[in-house]
Amino acid sequence: MLERARVDAPGSADGATHGYALSIVVPTFNEQANVATLIERVGKALEGAAWQIIVVDDDSPDGTAEVVKAIAAKDTRVQCLRRVRRRGLAGAVIEGALASAAPFVGVIDGDLQHDETLLPRMLEVLQAGEADLVVASRYVGDNAPVEGLNPVRRLGSRFANWLGRLVLHQHLSDPVSGFFMIRRERLEAVAPRLTTVGFKVLFDLIASQTEPLRIVELPYVFRKRVAGGSKLDRRMVIDYLGLLLNKLTGGLIPTRALMFGLVGASGVAVQLAAVKGFLVFGLGFSLAQFAGSMVAMTSNYLINNEVTYRDRRKSGWPLLLGYLKFCALCSIGLAANVAVASEVHQLLPIWWPASIVGAAFGALWNYVSTAAAVW
Ligand code: GDD
Ligand code: MN
């Protein structure tokens, strides 16, 4: 049996096959209608090169993984990594890339929006040693057409790019592109530092380097999506802002803590609005204040569950149980806040520094304790 396998295997005479020159990672979620076409087109574009494709599918309910595995059963260059009970574009891309042993790793969307005919050129640039990273950019040249984005997304995308450039200190027209190719060792080096939440793998990859990457950008036209829908939503935008802040603070504050803090700040606004509402409704102040706090705590919990801890999102009974724990822990946080503020106030009888220290202490407690006990 072993002998047979050896005889059948392509490659050198001793049965060992040669390694791949390029691994193409394709993250997919519900791309059943696109993925076969994509694999075929990538194969055609890279004809003659020693390529492999690693599709990383997050257990798409539409059966994307089955489609890929059916292809993989006939073509050893195609692999499918099916991840269960996990979601996230960034994490999928990183895991797929880490499965590669090729000198170069490319990343391309599975929905046919990226122009796969650019792949050979990207590989050439890397192989020639002209760059460590090649980014396929939607914005090289001023009025580059971006067919696949509506005007609102186009503006948002431009803004995201502008922010990204600000943080990266590196000139790059499309630092949030999902289409790029990199020298594998540069990815491996920073892999442990990359965040698995959100959409912005490329940005993170660049920002996490300790030595600057030599980057070449190549233009392409971002196509319209034909089948299926985009998975980018408002939460991804928040994730991205969190990542930017994280990089701005030199990675000091974890993205989750920042998001938790932002959610807490939104809670203040919610509380004020709710108290006002209850007062208008005729409740006495103390009762209105209590009810308003409960509303704020509830909205904080739900938003954190949806945004900050999206990858561990609770639903059903665990959601309720988590809510009770969250309320209990935040009440302790409130008590600690008041206690610490009073202590500080005795040492330094000015209200605002005492109040700030108390609030900071309460917030820190809330974050650390709920991170450990709720999510
Ligand atoms: N495995 C996995 N898990 N794949 C995912 C997930 C996920 O949670 N979410 C999305 N994908 C896959 C999609 O199936 C698709 O192949 C690719 O990632 C891009 O997702 P889209 O939902 O089509 O993103 P988009 O077209 O709106 O956004 C594109 O442009 C952004 C910049 O504006 C992408 O190229 C992004 O990477 C890019 O940042
Ligand atoms: Mn897309």
Side-chain angles (χ1 to χ4, degrees), residues 27-31 56-58 83 87-89 92 109-111 113-114 138 149 153 157 176-178 199-200 222 225 229-232:
T28 57
F29 189 74
N30 286 344
E31 303 293 357
V56 187
D57 183 65
D58 284 356
R83 304 200 307 166
R87 264 304 297 279
L89 175 55
D109 284 354
D111 59 3
Q113 288 196 273
H114 294 159
R138 297 165 291 179
L149 294 180
R153 276 245 2 221
S157 167
V176 298
S177 171
F199 255 52
K200 306 308 174 198
F222 189 62
R225 197 188 242 280
S230 169
K231 285 99 209 169
L232 189 130

PDB file of all heavy atoms in Angstrom, residues 27-31 56-58 83 87-89 92 109-111 113-114 138 149 153 157 176-178 199-200 222 225 229-232, ligand 1:
ATOM      1  N   PRO A  27     -10.172  32.491   3.321  1.00  0.00           N
ATOM      2  CA  PRO A  27     -11.138  32.398   4.417  1.00  0.00           C
ATOM      3  C   PRO A  27     -12.549  32.344   3.840  1.00  0.00           C
ATOM      4  O   PRO A  27     -12.860  33.082   2.900  1.00  0.00           O
ATOM      5  CB  PRO A  27     -10.934  33.716   5.169  1.00  0.00           C
ATOM      6  CG  PRO A  27     -10.471  34.671   4.122  1.00  0.00           C
ATOM      7  CD  PRO A  27      -9.688  33.873   3.112  1.00  0.00           C
ATOM      8  N   THR A  28     -13.368  31.461   4.353  1.00  0.00           N
ATOM      9  CA  THR A  28     -14.738  31.420   3.829  1.00  0.00           C
ATOM     10  C   THR A  28     -15.760  31.303   4.946  1.00  0.00           C
ATOM     11  O   THR A  28     -15.559  30.620   5.940  1.00  0.00           O
ATOM     12  CB  THR A  28     -14.976  30.222   2.887  1.00  0.00           C
ATOM     13  OG1 THR A  28     -14.668  29.003   3.589  1.00  0.00           O
ATOM     14  CG2 THR A  28     -14.153  30.312   1.629  1.00  0.00           C
ATOM     15  N   PHE A  29     -16.847  31.983   4.743  1.00  0.00           N
ATOM     16  CA  PHE A  29     -18.039  31.766   5.540  1.00  0.00           C
ATOM     17  C   PHE A  29     -19.232  31.927   4.594  1.00  0.00           C
ATOM     18  O   PHE A  29     -19.451  33.000   4.052  1.00  0.00           O
ATOM     19  CB  PHE A  29     -18.126  32.740   6.720  1.00  0.00           C
ATOM     20  CG  PHE A  29     -19.230  32.363   7.656  1.00  0.00           C
ATOM     21  CD1 PHE A  29     -19.092  31.267   8.510  1.00  0.00           C
ATOM     22  CD2 PHE A  29     -20.434  33.053   7.644  1.00  0.00           C
ATOM     23  CE1 PHE A  29     -20.134  30.882   9.347  1.00  0.00           C
ATOM     24  CE2 PHE A  29     -21.476  32.676   8.481  1.00  0.00           C
ATOM     25  CZ  PHE A  29     -21.319  31.590   9.329  1.00  0.00           C
ATOM     26  N   ASN A  30     -19.932  30.851   4.389  1.00  0.00           N
ATOM     27  CA  ASN A  30     -21.060  30.842   3.450  1.00  0.00           C
ATOM     28  C   ASN A  30     -20.677  31.311   2.045  1.00  0.00           C
ATOM     29  O   ASN A  30     -21.244  32.264   1.516  1.00  0.00           O
ATOM     30  CB  ASN A  30     -22.234  31.678   3.980  1.00  0.00           C
ATOM     31  CG  ASN A  30     -22.957  30.970   5.119  1.00  0.00           C
ATOM     32  OD1 ASN A  30     -22.772  29.756   5.319  1.00  0.00           O
ATOM     33  ND2 ASN A  30     -23.782  31.691   5.842  1.00  0.00           N
ATOM     34  N   GLU A  31     -19.710  30.634   1.470  1.00  0.00           N
ATOM     35  CA  GLU A  31     -19.301  30.942   0.096  1.00  0.00           C
ATOM     36  C   GLU A  31     -19.511  29.727  -0.800  1.00  0.00           C
ATOM     37  O   GLU A  31     -18.768  29.520  -1.764  1.00  0.00           O
ATOM     38  CB  GLU A  31     -17.832  31.383   0.037  1.00  0.00           C
ATOM     39  CG  GLU A  31     -17.469  32.568   0.905  1.00  0.00           C
ATOM     40  CD  GLU A  31     -18.121  33.878   0.466  1.00  0.00           C
ATOM     41  OE1 GLU A  31     -18.838  33.894  -0.567  1.00  0.00           O
ATOM     42  OE2 GLU A  31     -17.923  34.875   1.175  1.00  0.00           O
ATOM     43  N   VAL A  56     -10.018  28.021   4.654  1.00  0.00           N
ATOM     44  CA  VAL A  56     -10.329  27.925   6.084  1.00  0.00           C
ATOM     45  C   VAL A  56     -11.789  28.319   6.263  1.00  0.00           C
ATOM     46  O   VAL A  56     -12.159  29.486   6.108  1.00  0.00           O
ATOM     47  CB  VAL A  56      -9.418  28.850   6.920  1.00  0.00           C
ATOM     48  CG1 VAL A  56      -9.647  28.596   8.399  1.00  0.00           C
ATOM     49  CG2 VAL A  56      -7.955  28.630   6.553  1.00  0.00           C
ATOM     50  N   ASP A  57     -12.592  27.317   6.547  1.00  0.00           N
ATOM     51  CA  ASP A  57     -14.032  27.556   6.622  1.00  0.00           C
ATOM     52  C   ASP A  57     -14.525  27.443   8.059  1.00  0.00           C
ATOM     53  O   ASP A  57     -14.220  26.477   8.754  1.00  0.00           O
ATOM     54  CB  ASP A  57     -14.766  26.540   5.747  1.00  0.00           C
ATOM     55  CG  ASP A  57     -16.263  26.812   5.755  1.00  0.00           C
ATOM     56  OD1 ASP A  57     -16.662  27.865   5.259  1.00  0.00           O
ATOM     57  OD2 ASP A  57     -17.019  25.975   6.294  1.00  0.00           O
ATOM     58  N   ASP A  58     -15.291  28.423   8.497  1.00  0.00           N
ATOM     59  CA  ASP A  58     -15.791  28.405   9.877  1.00  0.00           C
ATOM     60  C   ASP A  58     -17.129  27.694   9.963  1.00  0.00           C
ATOM     61  O   ASP A  58     -18.107  28.239  10.459  1.00  0.00           O
ATOM     62  CB  ASP A  58     -15.862  29.833  10.438  1.00  0.00           C
ATOM     63  CG  ASP A  58     -14.477  30.344  10.806  1.00  0.00           C
ATOM     64  OD1 ASP A  58     -13.515  29.556  10.691  1.00  0.00           O
ATOM     65  OD2 ASP A  58     -14.347  31.516  11.202  1.00  0.00           O
ATOM     66  N   ARG A  83     -13.088  24.785  10.706  1.00  0.00           N
ATOM     67  CA  ARG A  83     -13.014  25.156  12.127  1.00  0.00           C
ATOM     68  C   ARG A  83     -14.420  25.117  12.691  1.00  0.00           C
ATOM     69  O   ARG A  83     -15.350  25.665  12.096  1.00  0.00           O
ATOM     70  CB  ARG A  83     -12.476  26.578  12.285  1.00  0.00           C
ATOM     71  CG  ARG A  83     -11.128  26.804  11.630  1.00  0.00           C
ATOM     72  CD  ARG A  83     -10.439  28.020  12.199  1.00  0.00           C
ATOM     73  NE  ARG A  83     -11.270  29.229  12.174  1.00  0.00           N
ATOM     74  CZ  ARG A  83     -10.977  30.329  12.845  1.00  0.00           C
ATOM     75  NH1 ARG A  83      -9.899  30.373  13.609  1.00  0.00           N
ATOM     76  NH2 ARG A  83     -11.748  31.402  12.754  1.00  0.00           N
ATOM     77  N   ARG A  87     -15.514  31.670  15.049  1.00  0.00           N
ATOM     78  CA  ARG A  87     -15.802  32.560  13.944  1.00  0.00           C
ATOM     79  C   ARG A  87     -14.764  33.654  13.921  1.00  0.00           C
ATOM     80  O   ARG A  87     -14.290  34.071  14.961  1.00  0.00           O
ATOM     81  CB  ARG A  87     -17.176  33.216  14.150  1.00  0.00           C
ATOM     82  CG  ARG A  87     -18.385  32.578  13.444  1.00  0.00           C
ATOM     83  CD  ARG A  87     -18.240  32.456  11.956  1.00  0.00           C
ATOM     84  NE  ARG A  87     -18.120  33.713  11.230  1.00  0.00           N
ATOM     85  CZ  ARG A  87     -19.141  34.477  10.906  1.00  0.00           C
ATOM     86  NH1 ARG A  87     -20.362  34.167  11.231  1.00  0.00           N
ATOM     87  NH2 ARG A  87     -18.942  35.589  10.205  1.00  0.00           N
ATOM     88  N   GLY A  88     -14.456  34.138  12.774  1.00  0.00           N
ATOM     89  CA  GLY A  88     -13.597  35.308  12.696  1.00  0.00           C
ATOM     90  C   GLY A  88     -12.661  35.235  11.517  1.00  0.00           C
ATOM     91  O   GLY A  88     -11.913  34.271  11.349  1.00  0.00           O
ATOM     92  N   LEU A  89     -12.724  36.271  10.700  1.00  0.00           N
ATOM     93  CA  LEU A  89     -11.899  36.323   9.502  1.00  0.00           C
ATOM     94  C   LEU A  89     -10.411  36.336   9.848  1.00  0.00           C
ATOM     95  O   LEU A  89      -9.622  35.556   9.308  1.00  0.00           O
ATOM     96  CB  LEU A  89     -12.291  37.557   8.688  1.00  0.00           C
ATOM     97  CG  LEU A  89     -11.475  37.876   7.448  1.00  0.00           C
ATOM     98  CD1 LEU A  89     -11.424  36.706   6.508  1.00  0.00           C
ATOM     99  CD2 LEU A  89     -12.060  39.092   6.743  1.00  0.00           C
ATOM    100  N   ALA A  92      -9.135  33.025  11.117  1.00  0.00           N
ATOM    101  CA  ALA A  92      -9.138  32.027  10.043  1.00  0.00           C
ATOM    102  C   ALA A  92      -7.914  32.214   9.148  1.00  0.00           C
ATOM    103  O   ALA A  92      -7.223  31.256   8.799  1.00  0.00           O
ATOM    104  CB  ALA A  92     -10.430  32.134   9.225  1.00  0.00           C
ATOM    105  N   ASP A 109      -9.920  36.693  -0.774  1.00  0.00           N
ATOM    106  CA  ASP A 109     -11.293  36.400  -0.358  1.00  0.00           C
ATOM    107  C   ASP A 109     -11.885  35.274  -1.203  1.00  0.00           C
ATOM    108  O   ASP A 109     -11.506  35.084  -2.358  1.00  0.00           O
ATOM    109  CB  ASP A 109     -12.176  37.644  -0.504  1.00  0.00           C
ATOM    110  CG  ASP A 109     -11.921  38.658   0.608  1.00  0.00           C
ATOM    111  OD1 ASP A 109     -11.151  38.337   1.533  1.00  0.00           O
ATOM    112  OD2 ASP A 109     -12.491  39.762   0.533  1.00  0.00           O
ATOM    113  N   GLY A 110     -12.851  34.595  -0.630  1.00  0.00           N
ATOM    114  CA  GLY A 110     -13.460  33.465  -1.325  1.00  0.00           C
ATOM    115  C   GLY A 110     -14.687  33.842  -2.120  1.00  0.00           C
ATOM    116  O   GLY A 110     -15.408  32.974  -2.621  1.00  0.00           O
ATOM    117  N   ASP A 111     -14.950  35.145  -2.255  1.00  0.00           N
ATOM    118  CA  ASP A 111     -16.220  35.548  -2.871  1.00  0.00           C
ATOM    119  C   ASP A 111     -16.060  36.144  -4.265  1.00  0.00           C
ATOM    120  O   ASP A 111     -16.973  36.772  -4.783  1.00  0.00           O
ATOM    121  CB  ASP A 111     -16.950  36.542  -1.960  1.00  0.00           C
ATOM    122  CG  ASP A 111     -16.104  37.790  -1.687  1.00  0.00           C
ATOM    123  OD1 ASP A 111     -15.000  37.899  -2.242  1.00  0.00           O
ATOM    124  OD2 ASP A 111     -16.572  38.646  -0.916  1.00  0.00           O
ATOM    125  N   GLN A 113     -14.439  38.665  -5.256  1.00  0.00           N
ATOM    126  CA  GLN A 113     -14.335  40.126  -5.375  1.00  0.00           C
ATOM    127  C   GLN A 113     -12.895  40.566  -5.680  1.00  0.00           C
ATOM    128  O   GLN A 113     -12.682  41.643  -6.219  1.00  0.00           O
ATOM    129  CB  GLN A 113     -14.820  40.796  -4.084  1.00  0.00           C
ATOM    130  CG  GLN A 113     -16.326  40.701  -3.911  1.00  0.00           C
ATOM    131  CD  GLN A 113     -16.841  41.691  -2.867  1.00  0.00           C
ATOM    132  OE1 GLN A 113     -16.872  41.404  -1.683  1.00  0.00           O
ATOM    133  NE2 GLN A 113     -17.249  42.869  -3.315  1.00  0.00           N
ATOM    134  N   HIS A 114     -11.944  39.734  -5.301  1.00  0.00           N
ATOM    135  CA  HIS A 114     -10.544  40.063  -5.590  1.00  0.00           C
ATOM    136  C   HIS A 114     -10.141  39.510  -6.944  1.00  0.00           C
ATOM    137  O   HIS A 114     -10.609  38.456  -7.355  1.00  0.00           O
ATOM    138  CB  HIS A 114      -9.633  39.485  -4.501  1.00  0.00           C
ATOM    139  CG  HIS A 114      -9.839  40.118  -3.153  1.00  0.00           C
ATOM    140  ND1 HIS A 114      -9.467  39.522  -1.981  1.00  0.00           N
ATOM    141  CD2 HIS A 114     -10.387  41.317  -2.819  1.00  0.00           C
ATOM    142  CE1 HIS A 114      -9.768  40.321  -0.973  1.00  0.00           C
ATOM    143  NE2 HIS A 114     -10.331  41.406  -1.448  1.00  0.00           N
ATOM    144  N   ARG A 138      -6.894  48.740  -3.682  1.00  0.00           N
ATOM    145  CA  ARG A 138      -8.029  49.284  -4.421  1.00  0.00           C
ATOM    146  C   ARG A 138      -7.828  50.750  -4.714  1.00  0.00           C
ATOM    147  O   ARG A 138      -8.590  51.362  -5.437  1.00  0.00           O
ATOM    148  CB  ARG A 138      -9.308  49.114  -3.588  1.00  0.00           C
ATOM    149  CG  ARG A 138      -9.647  47.676  -3.335  1.00  0.00           C
ATOM    150  CD  ARG A 138     -10.655  47.537  -2.233  1.00  0.00           C
ATOM    151  NE  ARG A 138     -10.062  47.893  -0.948  1.00  0.00           N
ATOM    152  CZ  ARG A 138     -10.733  47.882   0.205  1.00  0.00           C
ATOM    153  NH1 ARG A 138     -12.011  47.586   0.216  1.00  0.00           N
ATOM    154  NH2 ARG A 138     -10.133  48.200   1.330  1.00  0.00           N
ATOM    155  N   LEU A 149     -18.005  48.552  -3.887  1.00  0.00           N
ATOM    156  CA  LEU A 149     -18.402  49.224  -2.656  1.00  0.00           C
ATOM    157  C   LEU A 149     -19.426  50.307  -2.965  1.00  0.00           C
ATOM    158  O   LEU A 149     -19.263  51.082  -3.892  1.00  0.00           O
ATOM    159  CB  LEU A 149     -17.187  49.877  -1.982  1.00  0.00           C
ATOM    160  CG  LEU A 149     -16.091  48.962  -1.425  1.00  0.00           C
ATOM    161  CD1 LEU A 149     -14.975  49.796  -0.809  1.00  0.00           C
ATOM    162  CD2 LEU A 149     -16.647  47.995  -0.393  1.00  0.00           C
ATOM    163  N   ARG A 153     -19.938  52.763   2.006  1.00  0.00           N
ATOM    164  CA  ARG A 153     -18.806  51.896   2.338  1.00  0.00           C
ATOM    165  C   ARG A 153     -17.508  52.466   1.775  1.00  0.00           C
ATOM    166  O   ARG A 153     -16.453  52.312   2.362  1.00  0.00           O
ATOM    167  CB  ARG A 153     -19.017  50.468   1.817  1.00  0.00           C
ATOM    168  CG  ARG A 153     -19.820  49.629   2.735  1.00  0.00           C
ATOM    169  CD  ARG A 153     -19.163  48.419   3.383  1.00  0.00           C
ATOM    170  NE  ARG A 153     -17.808  48.030   3.210  1.00  0.00           N
ATOM    171  CZ  ARG A 153     -17.426  46.777   3.052  1.00  0.00           C
ATOM    172  NH1 ARG A 153     -18.329  45.821   2.980  1.00  0.00           N
ATOM    173  NH2 ARG A 153     -16.162  46.470   2.967  1.00  0.00           N
ATOM    174  N   SER A 157     -14.452  53.133   3.991  1.00  0.00           N
ATOM    175  CA  SER A 157     -13.219  52.433   3.672  1.00  0.00           C
ATOM    176  C   SER A 157     -12.056  53.413   3.543  1.00  0.00           C
ATOM    177  O   SER A 157     -10.953  53.172   4.019  1.00  0.00           O
ATOM    178  CB  SER A 157     -13.444  51.656   2.374  1.00  0.00           C
ATOM    179  OG  SER A 157     -12.237  51.209   1.848  1.00  0.00           O
ATOM    180  N   VAL A 176      -6.079  48.221   4.793  1.00  0.00           N
ATOM    181  CA  VAL A 176      -7.081  47.276   5.285  1.00  0.00           C
ATOM    182  C   VAL A 176      -7.503  46.310   4.179  1.00  0.00           C
ATOM    183  O   VAL A 176      -8.531  45.639   4.287  1.00  0.00           O
ATOM    184  CB  VAL A 176      -8.317  47.987   5.892  1.00  0.00           C
ATOM    185  CG1 VAL A 176      -7.898  48.825   7.081  1.00  0.00           C
ATOM    186  CG2 VAL A 176      -9.036  48.831   4.859  1.00  0.00           C
ATOM    187  N   SER A 177      -6.693  46.235   3.140  1.00  0.00           N
ATOM    188  CA  SER A 177      -7.011  45.302   2.050  1.00  0.00           C
ATOM    189  C   SER A 177      -7.044  43.871   2.570  1.00  0.00           C
ATOM    190  O   SER A 177      -6.293  43.496   3.456  1.00  0.00           O
ATOM    191  CB  SER A 177      -5.939  45.420   0.961  1.00  0.00           C
ATOM    192  OG  SER A 177      -6.097  44.394   0.002  1.00  0.00           O
ATOM    193  N   GLY A 178      -7.920  43.068   1.994  1.00  0.00           N
ATOM    194  CA  GLY A 178      -7.984  41.658   2.377  1.00  0.00           C
ATOM    195  C   GLY A 178      -7.226  40.785   1.392  1.00  0.00           C
ATOM    196  O   GLY A 178      -7.335  39.564   1.427  1.00  0.00           O
ATOM    197  N   PHE A 199     -11.523  42.058  11.237  1.00  0.00           N
ATOM    198  CA  PHE A 199     -11.309  41.883   9.807  1.00  0.00           C
ATOM    199  C   PHE A 199      -9.919  42.315   9.357  1.00  0.00           C
ATOM    200  O   PHE A 199      -9.512  41.968   8.263  1.00  0.00           O
ATOM    201  CB  PHE A 199     -12.326  42.758   9.052  1.00  0.00           C
ATOM    202  CG  PHE A 199     -13.459  41.998   8.445  1.00  0.00           C
ATOM    203  CD1 PHE A 199     -14.192  41.122   9.216  1.00  0.00           C
ATOM    204  CD2 PHE A 199     -13.787  42.141   7.104  1.00  0.00           C
ATOM    205  CE1 PHE A 199     -15.243  40.410   8.663  1.00  0.00           C
ATOM    206  CE2 PHE A 199     -14.837  41.443   6.534  1.00  0.00           C
ATOM    207  CZ  PHE A 199     -15.568  40.573   7.323  1.00  0.00           C
ATOM    208  N   LYS A 200      -9.211  43.087  10.208  1.00  0.00           N
ATOM    209  CA  LYS A 200      -8.060  43.799   9.677  1.00  0.00           C
ATOM    210  C   LYS A 200      -6.735  43.074   9.872  1.00  0.00           C
ATOM    211  O   LYS A 200      -5.830  43.556  10.527  1.00  0.00           O
ATOM    212  CB  LYS A 200      -8.006  45.204  10.287  1.00  0.00           C
ATOM    213  CG  LYS A 200      -9.305  45.966  10.089  1.00  0.00           C
ATOM    214  CD  LYS A 200      -9.731  45.976   8.629  1.00  0.00           C
ATOM    215  CE  LYS A 200     -11.095  46.605   8.456  1.00  0.00           C
ATOM    216  NZ  LYS A 200     -11.717  46.273   7.190  1.00  0.00           N
ATOM    217  N   PHE A 222     -11.612  46.186  -7.350  1.00  0.00           N
ATOM    218  CA  PHE A 222     -12.420  45.396  -6.423  1.00  0.00           C
ATOM    219  C   PHE A 222     -13.778  45.129  -7.076  1.00  0.00           C
ATOM    220  O   PHE A 222     -14.513  46.060  -7.375  1.00  0.00           O
ATOM    221  CB  PHE A 222     -12.591  46.205  -5.127  1.00  0.00           C
ATOM    222  CG  PHE A 222     -13.220  45.468  -3.989  1.00  0.00           C
ATOM    223  CD1 PHE A 222     -12.623  44.341  -3.439  1.00  0.00           C
ATOM    224  CD2 PHE A 222     -14.414  45.925  -3.426  1.00  0.00           C
ATOM    225  CE1 PHE A 222     -13.185  43.681  -2.353  1.00  0.00           C
ATOM    226  CE2 PHE A 222     -14.986  45.268  -2.337  1.00  0.00           C
ATOM    227  CZ  PHE A 222     -14.369  44.144  -1.804  1.00  0.00           C
ATOM    228  N   ARG A 225     -19.746  41.865  -5.530  1.00  0.00           N
ATOM    229  CA  ARG A 225     -20.076  40.520  -5.101  1.00  0.00           C
ATOM    230  C   ARG A 225     -21.300  40.053  -5.887  1.00  0.00           C
ATOM    231  O   ARG A 225     -22.264  40.801  -6.042  1.00  0.00           O
ATOM    232  CB  ARG A 225     -20.425  40.549  -3.619  1.00  0.00           C
ATOM    233  CG  ARG A 225     -20.390  39.185  -2.954  1.00  0.00           C
ATOM    234  CD  ARG A 225     -20.938  39.332  -1.563  1.00  0.00           C
ATOM    235  NE  ARG A 225     -19.977  38.999  -0.507  1.00  0.00           N
ATOM    236  CZ  ARG A 225     -19.698  37.756  -0.142  1.00  0.00           C
ATOM    237  NH1 ARG A 225     -20.280  36.741  -0.743  1.00  0.00           N
ATOM    238  NH2 ARG A 225     -18.854  37.525   0.833  1.00  0.00           N
ATOM    239  N   GLY A 229     -23.537  37.325   0.668  1.00  0.00           N
ATOM    240  CA  GLY A 229     -23.495  38.689   1.187  1.00  0.00           C
ATOM    241  C   GLY A 229     -22.245  38.949   1.995  1.00  0.00           C
ATOM    242  O   GLY A 229     -21.572  38.012   2.418  1.00  0.00           O
ATOM    243  N   SER A 230     -21.936  40.247   2.215  1.00  0.00           N
ATOM    244  CA  SER A 230     -20.770  40.619   3.006  1.00  0.00           C
ATOM    245  C   SER A 230     -20.997  40.326   4.482  1.00  0.00           C
ATOM    246  O   SER A 230     -22.101  40.443   4.979  1.00  0.00           O
ATOM    247  CB  SER A 230     -20.471  42.103   2.811  1.00  0.00           C
ATOM    248  OG  SER A 230     -19.521  42.531   3.759  1.00  0.00           O
ATOM    249  N   LYS A 231     -19.933  39.942   5.174  1.00  0.00           N
ATOM    250  CA  LYS A 231     -20.035  39.676   6.606  1.00  0.00           C
ATOM    251  C   LYS A 231     -19.461  40.819   7.415  1.00  0.00           C
ATOM    252  O   LYS A 231     -19.352  40.743   8.626  1.00  0.00           O
ATOM    253  CB  LYS A 231     -19.308  38.373   6.969  1.00  0.00           C
ATOM    254  CG  LYS A 231     -20.052  37.117   6.573  1.00  0.00           C
ATOM    255  CD  LYS A 231     -19.513  36.551   5.280  1.00  0.00           C
ATOM    256  CE  LYS A 231     -20.591  35.794   4.518  1.00  0.00           C
ATOM    257  NZ  LYS A 231     -20.116  35.483   3.145  1.00  0.00           N
ATOM    258  N   LEU A 232     -19.029  41.868   6.707  1.00  0.00           N
ATOM    259  CA  LEU A 232     -18.490  43.016   7.418  1.00  0.00           C
ATOM    260  C   LEU A 232     -19.649  43.826   7.984  1.00  0.00           C
ATOM    261  O   LEU A 232     -20.547  44.199   7.260  1.00  0.00           O
ATOM    262  CB  LEU A 232     -17.665  43.874   6.458  1.00  0.00           C
ATOM    263  CG  LEU A 232     -16.857  44.989   7.100  1.00  0.00           C
ATOM    264  CD1 LEU A 232     -15.431  44.914   6.605  1.00  0.00           C
ATOM    265  CD2 LEU A 232     -17.411  46.344   6.781  1.00  0.00           C
TER     266      LEU A 232
HETATM  267  N1  GDD B   1     -13.422  31.656   7.928  1.00  0.00           N
HETATM  268  C1  GDD B   1     -14.092  32.812   7.952  1.00  0.00           C
HETATM  269  N2  GDD B   1     -14.657  33.222   9.136  1.00  0.00           N
HETATM  270  N3  GDD B   1     -14.214  33.546   6.827  1.00  0.00           N
HETATM  271  C2  GDD B   1     -14.907  34.701   6.885  1.00  0.00           C
HETATM  272  C3  GDD B   1     -15.509  35.191   8.065  1.00  0.00           C
HETATM  273  C4  GDD B   1     -15.367  34.386   9.247  1.00  0.00           C
HETATM  274  O1  GDD B   1     -15.847  34.711  10.319  1.00  0.00           O
HETATM  275  N4  GDD B   1     -16.124  36.368   7.772  1.00  0.00           N
HETATM  276  C5  GDD B   1     -15.918  36.593   6.470  1.00  0.00           C
HETATM  277  N5  GDD B   1     -15.198  35.595   5.916  1.00  0.00           N
HETATM  278  C6  GDD B   1     -14.735  35.444   4.533  1.00  0.00           C
HETATM  279  C7  GDD B   1     -15.829  35.609   3.492  1.00  0.00           C
HETATM  280  O2  GDD B   1     -16.474  34.375   3.218  1.00  0.00           O
HETATM  281  C8  GDD B   1     -15.040  36.120   2.296  1.00  0.00           C
HETATM  282  O3  GDD B   1     -14.428  35.078   1.599  1.00  0.00           O
HETATM  283  C9  GDD B   1     -13.963  36.979   2.936  1.00  0.00           C
HETATM  284  O4  GDD B   1     -13.813  36.486   4.272  1.00  0.00           O
HETATM  285  C10 GDD B   1     -14.303  38.476   2.957  1.00  0.00           C
HETATM  286  O5  GDD B   1     -15.536  38.648   3.622  1.00  0.00           O
HETATM  287  P1  GDD B   1     -16.660  39.638   3.069  1.00  0.00           P
HETATM  288  O6  GDD B   1     -17.776  39.569   4.030  1.00  0.00           O
HETATM  289  O7  GDD B   1     -16.931  39.391   1.638  1.00  0.00           O
HETATM  290  O8  GDD B   1     -15.893  41.034   3.257  1.00  0.00           O
HETATM  291  P2  GDD B   1     -16.092  42.370   2.422  1.00  0.00           P
HETATM  292  O9  GDD B   1     -16.085  42.097   0.962  1.00  0.00           O
HETATM  293  O10 GDD B   1     -17.244  43.121   2.974  1.00  0.00           O
HETATM  294  O11 GDD B   1     -14.754  43.138   2.858  1.00  0.00           O
HETATM  295  C11 GDD B   1     -13.592  43.122   2.073  1.00  0.00           C
HETATM  296  O12 GDD B   1     -13.038  44.381   2.068  1.00  0.00           O
HETATM  297  C12 GDD B   1     -12.528  44.809   3.326  1.00  0.00           C
HETATM  298  C13 GDD B   1     -12.037  46.197   3.266  1.00  0.00           C
HETATM  299  O13 GDD B   1     -13.076  47.071   2.966  1.00  0.00           O
HETATM  300  C14 GDD B   1     -12.569  42.090   2.581  1.00  0.00           C
HETATM  301  O14 GDD B   1     -11.563  41.923   1.617  1.00  0.00           O
HETATM  302  C15 GDD B   1     -11.924  42.501   3.886  1.00  0.00           C
HETATM  303  O15 GDD B   1     -10.842  41.615   4.175  1.00  0.00           O
HETATM  304  C16 GDD B   1     -11.410  43.900   3.737  1.00  0.00           C
HETATM  305  O16 GDD B   1     -10.854  44.316   4.972  1.00  0.00           O
END
